[in-house]
Structure formats: structure tokens, C-alpha cells
Amino acid sequence: MGLIRNHRLQLTRRQFFQISGLSGVSFLLGGCGTPSFEDLVGKLSEPLNQKVEALIFNPQKPVPEFPASEIQPEALIVNTFRATPIIDREKYRLIIDGEVNNPLSLSMAEIQALPLTSMIIRHVCVEGWAAIVQWGGIRLKEIITLAQPKANVKYAYFKSADGYYESWDIASVLHPQTLLAYQKNGEPLPIDNGAPLRLASPIKLGYKQSKWVTQITLASYLSPFKGYWEDQGYEWFAGL
């Protein structure tokens, strides 16, 4: 499974989560039992979980991408937890607020004026399926930099037009392959896939990659409301 160096077993983050399980129900990254026991385990293990995940995760290491010949146009399954929202693209604004020195309210025209980044990656769903997709958009790091986050920022919260909510660690947010995507396979992003803007990244499971993103709030603390699925027992970090 790993590389042996200096008589110590070295696991990549991807190998680690393959061992511990995609859903986070594992020997370290999750708890099980009655609701009260789960709450206790979650509170006790969360700081340890984050320390372990931070040690394994390399925030600057790019994930290998795929050639265009391997794109799977029909493989990306559309999942929504509510109805698909109706968004007026002309009135749409992306809000970046919270612990920042320069709060932003950006139109799609302003976002698309920023440098376009394209990547061909595998989208992995916790349900057990995957799809190789080409995403195009703006590196989230560039948007965050424009907002001038304060030095103590550790997390980002994402709100979506359909009421979905998520949170990420700031290191994953700033990864060079974390995008706010507005293209899919070289075409404008379909509304069912999250237009006008969605998260796309090869370092997180699919439920972390919010569609129809309308607001990003930067914070120094992790709220008890970590994410729609996480608040129902899914693993918070959900890295690959």
C-alpha cells in the first residue's frame, strides 16, 4: 500500500482514505453508535481528525489530470437534494464576505473577465460512481485573494441558491485545482450541473462540490453546521 522509507510506512492521502472508508465511518475519522455517543465522539475526535488530515494533505501538490480522449460526457450523474433553482444570470452576484478586508459582490461578467483555468479530472461520488469531466472556470484562490482574507481565516462556508450549504478548510480552498467552474467539457455549464457557478476539484468527494454557489463566507472557526450531508453523519473533510 505505501512506500517504506527509513523503516516507516508512508501513506498517501488517497491511500489513507481508501483504508478508512469514503463515508468517514472509520477507525479514526468518524464515530458510530447511538446519537449521543456519536455527538460525543465527534466533539472529541474532530480536532484530532483535522490534525491528521492536515498532515496528510499537500495543499500545493497538483493531482494528475486526464487527456481529452478520456472525458466521459454522459457519466456525470445529476444529483440534487431539492429542486433545481431558477437563477437570473443577469442579476446574479457572487458574494464573498466574512473575515475579509475587501468584501466582494461580483457579476458573472466580472468573474469571466478573470483568467480562465481548465482541467480534466475525475469527479468521485460517495455513492460509488465516478466521471472524468473537463471543468473550466476561475481558480477559487484568485477570488479569495481579491477579498483579502484576514490572517486568522481557516475555513470557507459556501451557500447555494437551492439552500445547500458546505464548509471547507482554507488549505483545500486555496489548492491550485479548486475551481469555481462555469464550463463543463468546453461548453457553458448546464443549469442541472450547477450554473452559473459550482465548485469543482479533484481533492474532494462530490458532496463537497456545491452547485449554484451564491455566497462564500470566510471564518476563523468551524461552525456546528458544517454541511448539509455532514450534519447527517457524512465525514467533514471528505478528501481524496
Side-chain angles (χ1 to χ4, degrees):
M1 290 292 294
L3 300 175
I4 299 177
R5 295 173 181 168
N6 298 329
H7 307 290
R8 296 177 64 189
L9 180 64
Q10 304 293 321
L11 293 179
T12 67
R13 177 172 182 79
R14 192 175 298 270
Q15 290 168 328
F16 181 84
F17 280 103
Q18 286 173 346
I19 292 173
S20 61
L22 289 179
S23 67
V25 183
S26 68
F27 67 95
L28 177 63
L29 298 179
C32 58
T34 64
S36 60
F37 179 72
E38 288 177 350
D39 291 342
L40 176 61
V41 170
K43 291 177 182 178
L44 292 175
S45 64
E46 188 71 32
L48 177 59
N49 292 351
Q50 292 184 45
K51 289 179 181 179
V52 171
E53 290 162 345
L55 286 172
I56 297 171
F57 176 59
N58 186 334
Q60 296 303 319
K61 184 178 180 180
V63 175
E65 298 184 22
F66 295 86
S69 60
E70 295 191 37
I71 293 173
Q72 300 169 305
E74 307 301 324
L76 186 66
I77 297 174
V78 174
N79 280 335
T80 59
F81 90 116
R82 290 180 181 169
T84 300
I86 299 174
I87 300 174
D88 186 335
R89 182 185 173 89
E90 298 303 316
K91 296 180 181 179
Y92 171 85
R93 310 292 294 191
L94 174 66
I95 304 300
I96 301 93
D97 61 6
E99 297 181 41
V100 299
N101 293 313
N102 183 37
L104 300 173
S105 176
L106 301 174
S107 67
M108 279 305 299
E110 291 170 322
I111 292 168
Q112 291 179 315
L114 297 169
L116 172 68
T117 296
S118 180
M119 62 183 184
I120 302 175
I121 60 169
R122 178 179 280 117
H123 177 96
V124 180
C125 181
V126 72
E127 295 171 348
W129 58 268
I132 297 175
V133 184
Q134 181 180 29
W135 300 109
I138 175 70
R139 284 193 178 96
L140 185 50
K141 180 178 181 178
E142 298 189 31
I143 294 284
I144 299 302
T145 299
L146 290 175
Q148 300 175 20
K150 295 182 179 180
N152 59 344
V153 164
K154 295 181 180 179
Y155 304 98
Y157 294 87
F158 300 93
K159 292 183 180 179
S160 298
D162 65 340
Y164 195 76
Y165 60 100
E166 259 301 345
S167 62
W168 287 38
D169 62 294
I170 196 65
S172 295
V173 167
L174 301 179
H175 189 276
Q177 290 168 297
T178 297
L179 302 185
L180 281 173
Y182 52 81
Q183 291 181 359
K184 174 194 169 189
N185 296 333
E187 300 292 336
L189 183 66
I191 183 66
D192 285 343
N193 291 133
L197 279 179
R198 64 162 294 149
L199 287 169
S201 179
I203 62 172
K204 295 289 186 186
L205 286 169
Y207 65 86
K208 300 294 290 187
Q209 301 184 39
S210 302
K211 298 186 288 186
W212 309 299
V213 175
T214 58
Q215 185 174 357
I216 303 171
T217 301
L218 302 183
S220 57
Y221 61 92
L222 187 59
S223 166
F225 303 100
K226 299 178 178 68
Y228 176 80
W229 288 112
E230 292 88 333
D231 292 346
Q232 300 181 59
Y234 280 45
E235 202 265 312
W236 175 71
F237 197 85
L240 292 170

